[in-house]
Amino acid sequence: MNLLHLSLFSVALISLLCLHHHRVLASSHFEGFDGEDDDDISEDPTELLHHSLPPPPLVTQSESTVLDPEPPTKPDSKPDPSPTQTGSKKPSSTSFDYWDEDEFEGLPENEPTEESPIVVPSPADPQTPDPEEDTDIPKKKNPSSYTVEIVCVSILITYLINYFVGKRDNESLALSWASKFALKDAIFEKNFSLLGVGEGDDSPLLLKEATNVFKFYASGRRYCHGLLATLELKSRHDLISRLFNCVVPCKDEVSLEVYMNDEAMDHVVFAVARKKAAKGMHKEMRDLQRFGGMVAAPGGRKWVTEELGVVSESKEVAGDMITDVVLDQVFGDKSFEKFGKYFISMHFSDQHPGKHRKMLLFKFVLPDAKHMDDMVRLIALIPYYIDLIGRYKLSSQARNKTDGARQKVAQEAYKELESVRQEALQRKKAEKKRLLEEAEAKLSGEALRKKEAKERARQMKKSMPKVKMSRGH
């Protein structure tokens, strides 16, 4: 019996010893986290909790020793990115501030292992880009985005260059013409005493009215008041006009107007131009339309080349204006082939519409500066015809015909003026009547009756016979 009790006591003592041993092991596992069971613990689902918890304070209130972990060594080389690195987050120190420090003692600090080091980007690291700073850096634009600006600036520069170059070319051409025909010992200097637009020897020869328009004035000659030359050049300073002239060519022109004295010019209406232009002048010019007509080439004498057409008031005037000198110099077949390319038209009239009725008009093409000598004969026609028209007198027969034509035209002009005057009076009466009707419409009934009575009395007084009273002696 005693043996039985002894054996039971031995079993109970062994059981207590075993239970005490298991408790010691359990406590050692909780406080020390031995590395032998790391693999088993990592397999436990509670590992997520341990990794997400912040490290507890290193100094506790218990008797445990102060942990002094070594700082993690910086890896020599930059680790390769892995899912563990990208998925790791910096633990928050304020996640479990409510822990009881007496209950959890000796928790080790989570240190990054060599397999999955935690890389924290440093703002001071020059190799790590800052996303906030990238947004402030201006992005470089592609040069193709400035296409519109480049085109606009190029057009502006081209326009400015063309303006100054074209302006210089026009001025050079005008000065070339003036130096050829208006300087000393030139045609105008020999035939006029005063040249230029001002008084005095220092007055400029040319007056610049526009970038492509220049004028020259000369006076001091018999049979005329003066001469005005207008140089109308191409708009070389305008880029659009220059491009248009490339498609539709135009030429530089010079128009010369001679204002004749009233007593120096007889009844003369005459014009010469190329046939197509002469027909157009005959239809458009009022004096040529009223007094002139196309003149055919007379038989038995020299005449202008077939390219030209003559418009004149009579054959007598046409024959007297087309002299042999003119045919040999300009209007003949041979001379016109050489010098006629610069001739446009020539128009003489004593019935010219405008302020000056008696005028000689010449219109020529202006050559370039190198070929200015080719129009010397054309310019020489101006003083020649001034003297010819100044000395010219019509025959009595032609004079009677021209006088009759001018009287007829004067009567037609008077009738037109009278009809215009009558139309003006009719409009004035209609306007006055309309104003009276509007005034009557605004009157009251009483005022309207008084006005009607007054009008009837006036009409009755007007219709009554007039009685002449005589006093008896």
Side-chain angles (χ1 to χ4, degrees):
M1 187 68 180
N2 293 330
L3 183 61
L4 181 61
H5 286 288
L6 182 62
S7 61
L8 290 174
F9 179 76
S10 300
V11 171
L13 182 61
I14 292 171
S15 299
L16 290 173
L17 290 175
C18 290
L19 181 60
H20 178 71
H21 179 71
H22 283 292
R23 285 184 178 180
V24 171
L25 290 176
S27 63
S28 65
H29 281 297
F30 180 78
E31 293 181 359
F33 290 91
D34 294 337
E36 295 177 358
D37 298 329
D38 285 343
D39 296 336
D40 296 340
I41 294 173
S42 62
E43 294 176 0
D44 192 271
T46 59
E47 180 184 5
L48 297 175
L49 178 61
H50 289 288
H51 281 282
S52 62
L53 295 178
L58 298 180
V59 180
T60 63
Q61 297 179 359
S62 62
E63 296 178 356
S64 59
T65 59
V66 178
L67 297 177
D68 188 12
E70 295 181 0
T73 59
K74 186 175 180 181
D76 296 336
S77 61
K78 186 176 180 180
D80 296 332
S82 61
T84 58
Q85 293 178 357
T86 58
S88 62
K89 296 183 180 180
K90 184 178 180 180
S92 176
S93 61
T94 60
S95 299
F96 292 93
D97 292 341
Y98 54 85
W99 284 6
D100 188 0
E101 296 179 353
D102 295 335
E103 183 177 359
F104 301 98
E105 296 179 359
L107 289 176
E109 182 181 4
N110 282 336
E111 297 181 0
T113 60
E114 294 181 359
E115 289 79 4
S116 59
I118 298 175
V119 179
V120 179
S122 176
D125 190 1
Q127 297 181 356
T128 304
D130 191 357
E132 296 181 356
E133 294 180 358
D134 293 340
T135 57
D136 298 334
I137 299 175
K139 297 182 179 179
K140 294 183 179 179
K141 293 185 178 180
N142 193 359
S144 61
S145 62
Y146 296 100
T147 303
V148 178
E149 289 81 357
I150 293 172
V151 171
C152 293
V153 172
S154 301
I155 293 175
L156 180 60
I157 294 174
T158 306
Y159 187 88
L160 292 175
I161 293 174
N162 179 78
Y163 176 81
F164 290 107
V165 172
K167 179 182 176 182
R168 183 193 60 189
D169 293 343
N170 284 342
E171 291 176 352
S172 300
L173 184 59
L175 290 174
S176 299
W177 182 86
S179 61
K180 180 64 180 178
F181 301 107
L183 291 182
K184 188 177 180 180
D185 296 333
I187 294 176
F188 293 136
E189 198 271 338
K190 292 179 180 179
N191 289 273
F192 295 91
S193 60
L194 180 61
L195 303 178
V197 295
E199 297 180 357
D201 297 336
D202 297 334
S203 60
L205 291 176
L206 294 176
L207 174 63
K208 183 178 179 181
E209 285 195 347
T211 310
N212 61 324
V213 178
F214 300 86
K215 289 194 174 183
F216 166 78
Y217 184 77
S219 62
R221 196 183 195 282
R222 62 178 181 174
Y223 304 130
C224 67
H225 294 290
L227 175 143
L228 178 64
T230 304
L231 284 74
E232 297 180 358
L233 309 180
K234 293 186 289 187
S235 298
R236 294 179 174 87
H237 63 284
D238 189 0
L239 181 61
I240 298 176
S241 299
R242 186 184 285 268
L243 296 176
F244 180 76
N245 293 335
C246 296
V247 181
V248 183
C250 65
K251 298 179 180 179
D252 300 314
E253 297 179 358
V254 53
S255 301
L256 300 106
E257 302 176 357
V258 180
Y259 308 110
M260 300 294 293
N261 297 330
D262 293 337
E263 67 278 1
M265 186 173 184
D266 208 345
H267 297 170
V268 175
V269 176
F270 173 79
V272 177
R274 298 182 185 272
K275 287 187 175 181
K276 187 175 180 180
K279 292 179 180 179
M281 293 173 64
H282 185 224
K283 293 179 181 179
E284 295 174 1
M285 298 293 182
R286 190 173 182 180
D287 56 338
L288 295 178
Q289 186 179 5
R290 287 182 173 181
F291 302 101
M294 298 296 297
V295 178
R301 63 160 295 181
K302 294 174 62 176
W303 198 242
V304 297
T305 181
E306 295 180 356
E307 298 180 19
L308 299 176
V310 179
V311 182
S312 179
E313 189 173 2
S314 64
K315 291 184 178 181
E316 179 181 344
V317 174
D320 294 338
M321 295 295 106
I322 305 297
T323 61
D324 293 338
V325 176
V326 174
L327 292 175
D328 293 338
Q329 293 293 323
V330 180
F331 297 137
D333 292 333
K334 294 182 179 180
S335 58
F336 194 78
E337 290 180 1
K338 185 176 181 180
F339 305 104
K341 56 185 177 180
Y342 300 116
F343 177 79
I344 298 178
S345 65
M346 187 172 62
H347 180 199
F348 310 151
S349 177
D350 66 318
Q351 298 294 320
H352 194 276
K355 182 179 179 181
H356 302 278
R357 297 187 64 84
K358 296 184 177 183
M359 292 178 60
L360 310 182
L361 303 177
F362 301 87
K363 199 169 185 179
F364 307 131
V365 175
L366 193 64
D368 55 13
K370 297 180 180 179
H371 300 86
M372 200 64 68
D373 294 335
D374 295 343
M375 66 177 310
V376 172
R377 293 192 180 186
L378 297 177
I379 298 296
L381 292 175
I382 298 171
Y384 176 80
Y385 273 111
I386 290 175
D387 293 336
L388 180 62
I389 296 294
R391 295 191 300 260
Y392 180 71
K393 298 298 179 182
L394 285 170
S395 63
S396 59
Q397 183 180 359
R399 180 79 183 207
N400 293 333
K401 184 178 179 180
T402 56
D403 287 341
R406 278 156 179 78
Q407 290 178 4
K408 184 179 179 179
V409 171
Q411 292 177 0
E412 292 178 356
Y414 177 77
K415 289 180 180 179
E416 291 179 0
L417 183 62
E418 191 66 23
S419 63
V420 171
R421 186 182 301 172
Q422 292 295 331
E423 289 178 0
L425 290 175
Q426 292 295 333
R427 287 195 299 268
K428 189 175 181 180
K429 288 181 179 180
E431 184 68 19
K432 186 177 181 181
K433 185 178 179 181
R434 186 181 63 81
L435 293 175
L436 290 175
E437 291 177 354
E438 291 179 357
E440 290 178 358
K442 296 178 181 179
L443 293 175
S444 62
E446 185 67 23
L448 189 59
R449 284 193 297 270
K450 288 181 179 181
K451 184 178 180 181
E452 290 177 355
K454 187 178 180 180
E455 183 68 21
R456 284 194 302 269
R458 190 179 66 83
Q459 292 292 338
M460 288 177 64
K461 184 179 180 181
K462 186 178 180 181
S463 61
M464 288 177 63
K466 294 182 180 180
V467 179
K468 186 176 182 180
M469 301 295 293
S470 61
R471 183 179 297 180
H473 297 283

